Amino acid sequence: MTACAIEPTAADEDGDDRGDECGDECRDASGVPRNGGTVCAITADGAYAARLAPAGDCLFPERWTLDGPEPYAVPLPGNQPEEPGTEVQPMSDGRVLIRRLVDGRHAFSLLYPTGPGTGELPLGAVECPDPDTRLRLLPPAPGGEKAYALAVGRRSTAVWLVAGGAFGPEHLAMVPGRCSGGVWLDRAGRMLALDREVGGRTKAIVVDLERDGEVSPLLQIAADSDDRLLAADPDSGLLLISSDAPSPGREQRLGWGVIGSTLPVRFPECLRLPDCTVTPFAIQPGQVLMPENCGVALRVDGPAGTWFAVWRPAERQLLQLPAPEGWLAGAGLWTESGVLQLPYATREVPCGVARFAVPRGAGGTGDAGSPGVGAPVAAGGTGGSGATGATGETRPGDPVRGGTVGAPGEAAPVPSPPSEPDPPVPAAPRPVPLREAPLKGRVAVG
């Protein structure tokens, strides 16, 4: 399982979100609007996905089943089209949670197919008396039986259990400060990481949902830096972090660390793409005690459009690849065996999954600001079956199928030589999870 944040920073939330039909409450981590069926949410186990699918000028909920031999979609239309800004999230039992804004209240229901129609089970509503309070769903929780929401106010942030409780929505915790982000740190759905803004600085914190929202610090790379958590993998402990510590006050850099480690966060140079926004969206699970070997999938938004890249901390190289046509940008998951799966929808294939097997050491970068020229090792898409060998895994050399992911037979680029090893850095003075890492002049940049 990979947990990824999908919310803009708290500073971004201060702007007026009424200038377009989808405000900050329905934007992804890079600030790109999530309306119009362009993004889907996937359960932590990868069994189901849900999105708002377009039908002409209208939107309706749609559930995807991903754990079968081929993916398939089930439309879940209501009595009328959904409004932009409505959120959907799949549950582990196949139902779909939907959040609608109705008369100033956030109403939650579970949708499910009932033959030709759509069944709906109302769960209740959350009312935010302050009109400036924004409420949104958190990423799918581990287990998939519960769903949570974050209500961000002027000076505090509330955590709500909106599905899976005994009596409708339940208020779980009140966190001082304005929070954004939302990353699950464990498989029990207990430890939630948030990015909290206090006094003009943003630091990642941990909220213990089983201790009445007890708060403890997680990231403090430098006293005057903004440190956010973007993604985490509970198996390996790998964390993907955004911080301006390497370039104070100038730019946010993408770095990585390991929870519980006494070593500081590292900021690889290969993850620094000029004029591009790089956002992690999936981490390879199952790599217990081996965070350096985890595959990390990153969405890249630049002047040439949107594509994706694959990176492993141990390799210090970035492999940039064209996204499949119709990719639901920012959505995807890894298998433990190292196959990256990207959902996509086109007119010809309304429900497809492209599969990419990228072996270790297949790094190499394209020109900054554009995807690399190499094709993935293999990809499957039409119907989600893909090109597979006798073992069911994608084989190097198999033809490319489905989507525009590169020409069959196109040679992969010659990997560029690895960068110089990161310089040794003194360990943090205390074994506190990624707190008080070495300061200016000693932040690892490689």
Side-chain angles (χ1 to χ4, degrees):
M1 177 198 73
T2 300
C4 295
I6 57 173
E7 179 70 1
T9 66
D12 294 334
E13 293 176 341
D14 293 333
D16 183 5
D17 67 339
R18 305 308 174 194
D20 56 31
E21 61 182 7
C22 180
D24 290 338
E25 61 183 334
C26 55
R27 294 180 184 271
D28 61 23
S30 62
V32 177
R34 295 194 274 130
N35 64 327
T38 58
V39 169
C40 70
I42 305 176
T43 55
D45 62 3
Y48 294 102
R51 68 168 185 148
L52 285 180
D57 295 332
C58 302
L59 300 172
F60 64 90
E62 186 177 73
R63 186 199 71 193
W64 288 26
T65 299
L66 303 177
D67 60 351
E70 293 188 357
Y72 65 91
V74 176
L76 297 171
N79 296 326
Q80 61 186 28
E82 302 298 338
E83 296 291 331
T86 298
E87 291 183 292
V88 293
Q89 188 172 114
M91 307 296 289
S92 61
D93 59 6
R95 294 183 292 181
V96 172
L97 175 69
I98 187 167
R99 178 193 68 83
R100 301 183 180 103
L101 185 60
V102 181
D103 296 330
R105 304 169 74 235
H106 299 271
F108 298 90
S109 297
L110 289 172
L111 307 178
Y112 53 92
T114 57
T118 301
E120 182 167 341
L121 175 64
L123 300 177
V126 174
E127 184 172 2
C128 301
D130 189 339
D132 291 331
T133 298
R134 300 168 185 260
L135 187 143
R136 64 173 176 87
L137 292 176
L138 285 167
E145 299 175 353
K146 298 180 178 181
Y148 300 83
L150 206 65
V152 183
R154 298 181 182 182
R155 298 180 179 85
S156 61
T157 301
V159 182
W160 286 83
L161 173 66
V162 295
F167 306 103
E170 299 177 17
H171 182 272
L172 298 181
M174 183 65 74
V175 181
R178 292 173 55 82
C179 295
S180 58
V183 174
W184 297 102
L185 298 178
D186 63 346
R187 292 192 176 276
R190 171 179 175 176
M191 309 303 289
L192 173 66
L194 298 173
D195 301 325
R196 179 172 66 173
E197 180 188 355
V198 176
R201 295 294 176 191
T202 300
K203 303 289 183 183
I205 60 171
V206 179
V207 180
D208 189 337
L209 298 182
E210 291 190 5
R211 290 192 175 183
D212 298 322
E214 180 181 276
V215 174
S216 57
L218 176 65
L219 289 177
Q220 186 168 313
I221 299 177
D224 57 351
S225 62
D226 291 318
D227 311 316
R228 298 177 175 89
L229 181 63
L230 303 182
D233 175 62
D235 293 335
S236 63
L238 179 64
L239 304 180
L240 275 297
I241 293 155
S242 172
S243 176
D244 63 353
S247 306
R250 293 200 303 271
E251 64 172 329
Q252 290 282 320
R253 294 282 301 274
L254 185 61
W256 69 280
V258 180
I259 192 168
S261 173
T262 58
L263 294 177
V265 176
R266 294 181 180 271
F267 296 88
E269 191 66 26
C270 67
L271 299 181
R272 189 180 187 183
L273 301 182
D275 301 322
C276 294
T277 300
V278 182
T279 308
F281 64 88
I283 303 177
Q284 181 182 353
Q287 309 300 298
V288 180
L289 302 179
M290 296 188 297
E292 296 86 355
N293 293 333
C294 287
V296 179
L298 305 116
R299 168 179 171 173
V300 184
D301 294 282
T306 297
W307 60 98
F308 77 100
V310 176
W311 168 77
R312 289 184 174 89
E315 295 174 2
R316 300 191 181 93
Q317 298 180 70
L318 188 67
L319 177 62
Q320 300 183 62
L321 296 167
E325 181 183 358
W327 177 37
L328 306 181
L333 69 152
W334 287 89
T335 65
E336 290 191 10
S337 59
V339 177
L340 177 62
Q341 305 182 58
L342 303 183
Y344 69 92
T346 64
R347 186 181 299 274
E348 295 75 19
V349 184
C351 178
V353 174
R355 295 181 171 92
F356 299 81
V358 183
R360 291 178 185 148
T365 59
D367 295 333
S370 62
V373 297
V377 173
T382 305
S385 58
T388 59
T391 62
E393 296 298 334
T394 314
R395 302 175 302 182
D398 282 336
V400 176
R401 301 182 183 177
T404 56
V405 293
E410 183 177 49
V414 178
S416 59
S419 58
E420 292 296 322
D422 293 330
V425 180
R430 294 176 293 169
V432 180
L434 295 176
R435 289 183 61 197
E436 299 181 8
L439 305 180
K440 184 177 180 181
R442 291 181 288 168
V443 176
V445 180

